[in-house]
Amino acid sequence: MQRMVSGIKPTGELTLGNYIGAIKNFVDFQEKYELFVFIADLHALTTIQDKSKLRKRIKDIAAFYIACGLDPEKATIFIQSEIPAHSQMSYLLECTSYVGELNRMTQYKDKSKDDSASIQTSMFTYPVLMAADILLYDPDFVPVGDDQKQHVELARNIAERFNSRNGEFFKVPEPVIPKAGARIMDLQNPTKKMSKSGDTDKGYILLTDNLNLIKNKIKSAVTDSDTLVKFDKEKKPGISNLLTIYSVLSNLTIAEIENKYTNQGYGNFKKDLAEIVATQIGKIQEKYNQIINSNKLNQILDAGLEKASKIAHKKIMKANSKLGLGRKK
């Protein structure tokens, strides 16, 4: 079975965008691939964190992975920082990377425009840690949103360079970008990706939101002066974003939804979508509440740690040997 690896950074509460753009796809992927998914807590340290909040979010994300449908019998779920090989491999890959290619990474370029002196070094080097997260497990595929493809390309470049210098060692993975729902947009500003850092809390839906609040956020989502339920990302970004959410959660095609609401306007469409979103998130919340304070969560993470650690440790030791480190036995 081919292998797939991915993770989510615990720097904020999970949104509907995280669920549709990442976690829901993981649930589908676990049926087709040997799936490794992790909580990328080391990546959270690129900015200063409240340690108590960070610990809570790490557990929350793990619980939400399972509540959203990840099956520990099919997917290996673990916490990145509990496996030292991630940090160790990151340093080895820094020795195979160039400042020029890291300078071109979008997030660093955006952050450095304001005040590069106040940016932590990890903000510059984190793409290499991301490459280590990937390459440690020799995956065939890495699922990413369209705005994250650059990171997989860097991992591929580093892997090919390492292999060229030291002989074949890393598998060079392919990015997988889901056809639908890869990038859910802000409900109030549909030109921006849905994020808790948006301009208003009406723009995002949290997986922990009250269900009535979720319905109200959908009903108040920005559309346009036209009342035609039609997908047109350029001219009608708001309604197109809502159509994408509707399609992913209902398993109906965009065309089927457009036909369903012909001559009905936005009112009925938004009302129905509000019920669909609230019902789905309600089911997730119920499962989350069952597992978050149970010992089952720790058992799942312990099992994931054991399996992932064996693979990662073996890979880092072989990488050390490839580079001439340590004592030859």
Side-chain angles (χ1 to χ4, degrees):
M1 181 179 282
Q2 292 179 304
R3 183 177 291 174
M4 179 177 279
V5 173
S6 192
I8 291 181
K9 185 168 64 172
T11 51
E13 295 175 83
L14 292 175
T15 69
L16 177 66
N18 296 133
Y19 172 63
I20 292 177
I23 303 175
K24 190 174 186 299
N25 292 311
F26 294 164
V27 175
D28 295 333
F29 291 143
Q30 71 182 348
E31 303 298 332
K32 306 174 185 177
Y33 305 102
E34 182 187 13
L35 181 64
F36 286 71
V37 290
F38 60 92
I39 295 88
D41 53 342
L42 289 173
H43 287 288
L45 301 182
T46 56
T47 56
I48 298 173
Q49 299 291 324
D50 179 311
K51 63 182 179 182
S52 60
K53 288 181 179 179
L54 178 59
R55 287 196 181 108
K56 181 180 184 303
R57 286 172 182 157
I58 290 168
K59 287 190 67 177
D60 279 349
I61 289 179
F64 271 118
Y65 272 153
I66 299 158
C68 289
L70 278 178
D71 183 349
E73 297 297 320
K74 298 177 181 178
T76 302
I77 305 168
F78 62 97
I79 297 170
Q80 176 195 33
S81 67
E82 292 184 350
I83 301 179
H86 283 257
S87 300
Q88 294 170 318
M89 184 65 80
S90 181
Y91 178 74
L92 298 188
L93 298 186
E94 283 183 22
C95 298
T96 316
S97 309
Y98 295 113
V99 170
E101 58 192 349
L102 297 186
N103 268 325
R104 293 192 291 272
M105 302 305 288
T106 301
Q107 189 169 1
Y108 174 74
K109 286 199 299 184
D110 291 344
K111 294 284 186 181
S112 62
K113 287 178 183 177
D114 299 326
D115 184 5
S116 61
S118 64
I119 298 175
Q120 296 181 168
T121 305
S122 54
M123 180 60 72
F124 183 69
T125 60
Y126 87 90
V128 184
L129 174 58
M130 192 175 290
D133 298 333
I134 295 168
L135 299 178
L136 263 177
Y137 299 96
D138 285 322
D140 299 279
F141 302 104
V142 181
V144 289
D146 55 1
D147 57 333
Q148 292 289 318
K149 187 177 179 181
Q150 184 186 37
H151 291 100
V152 182
E153 292 300 329
L154 177 66
R156 286 170 54 84
N157 291 339
I158 292 173
E160 289 170 347
R161 189 178 301 135
F162 188 101
N163 292 347
S164 176
R165 292 177 180 176
N166 304 290
E168 287 301 312
F169 181 66
F170 288 120
K171 183 173 287 187
V172 181
E174 295 287 341
V176 173
I177 301 175
K179 293 181 180 179
R183 198 174 192 189
I184 299 302
M185 312 307 284
D186 189 286
L187 299 177
Q188 295 297 314
N189 184 355
T191 62
K192 293 184 178 180
K193 186 176 180 179
M194 182 181 284
S195 169
K196 197 180 174 185
S197 61
D199 297 332
T200 169
D201 59 6
K202 292 182 179 180
Y204 57 82
I205 291 174
L206 300 178
L207 296 187
T208 54
D209 272 346
N210 174 276
L211 300 186
N212 286 327
L213 177 60
I214 289 172
K215 294 177 184 179
N216 289 333
K217 287 182 178 182
I218 292 291
K219 291 175 182 177
S220 65
V222 167
T223 50
D224 51 62
S225 57
D226 185 1
T227 59
L228 182 65
V229 179
K230 186 72 176 177
F231 190 92
D232 187 332
K233 202 168 183 179
E234 297 300 320
K235 296 180 180 179
K236 298 164 71 70
I239 197 67
S240 297
N241 186 43
L242 296 181
L243 277 165
T244 299
I245 295 171
Y246 198 129
S247 177
V248 172
L249 296 185
S250 69
N251 292 319
L252 295 175
T253 66
I254 298 290
E256 287 172 334
I257 301 168
E258 290 174 338
N259 289 334
K260 182 177 180 179
Y261 293 95
T262 300
N263 299 322
Q264 289 196 47
Y266 293 155
N268 288 336
F269 170 78
K270 283 186 173 182
K271 181 181 177 182
D272 290 348
L273 177 58
E275 290 296 330
I276 290 170
V277 174
T279 297
Q280 182 62 34
I281 292 182
K283 293 177 182 177
I284 292 171
Q285 289 178 357
E286 183 178 356
K287 293 178 182 176
Y288 165 84
N289 288 330
Q290 291 172 356
I291 194 171
I292 184 61
N293 293 315
S294 71
N295 193 46
K296 184 178 179 181
L297 181 59
N298 283 328
Q299 292 173 352
I300 290 169
L301 291 174
D302 286 345
L305 171 61
E306 182 178 3
K307 182 176 178 179
S309 289
K310 288 179 180 178
I311 296 170
H313 179 72
K314 185 176 180 180
K315 194 69 176 179
I316 192 65
M317 295 308 292
K318 286 185 176 180
N320 285 342
S321 180
K322 279 278 185 181
L323 294 170
L325 299 175
R327 292 175 292 170
K328 189 175 181 178
K329 294 183 179 180

